[in-house]
Amino acid sequence: MTGLLIGVAVWMVCATVVATVLGRVAHRGDSEELGSTLEWNVDSLDRELHHEN
């Protein structure tokens, strides 16, 4: 039973590392594709657009 718990814990750590790496790669790809490294705050942009109309 202990071996199973250790296996699950190792699996979760590996999955977390892979998810983090893939998230960073996707974020970098989006930034490079858009040609900008700016962080966009979508909520503030939505508010500005609603105030203009």
Side-chain angles (χ1 to χ4, degrees):
M1 186 67 174
T2 303
L4 180 63
L5 292 175
I6 291 172
V8 169
V10 169
W11 180 260
M12 292 299 292
V13 169
C14 289
T16 302
V17 169
V18 168
T20 302
V21 169
L22 289 177
R24 289 182 182 212
V25 167
H27 180 72
R28 181 176 178 191
D30 287 343
S31 295
E32 289 179 1
E33 183 177 340
L34 296 173
S36 174
T37 57
L38 297 174
E39 293 292 330
W40 294 99
N41 186 349
V42 177
D43 293 331
S44 68
L45 291 173
D46 285 341
R47 275 183 268 146
E48 288 178 16
L49 288 175
H50 290 300
H51 288 298
E52 289 179 3
N53 291 333

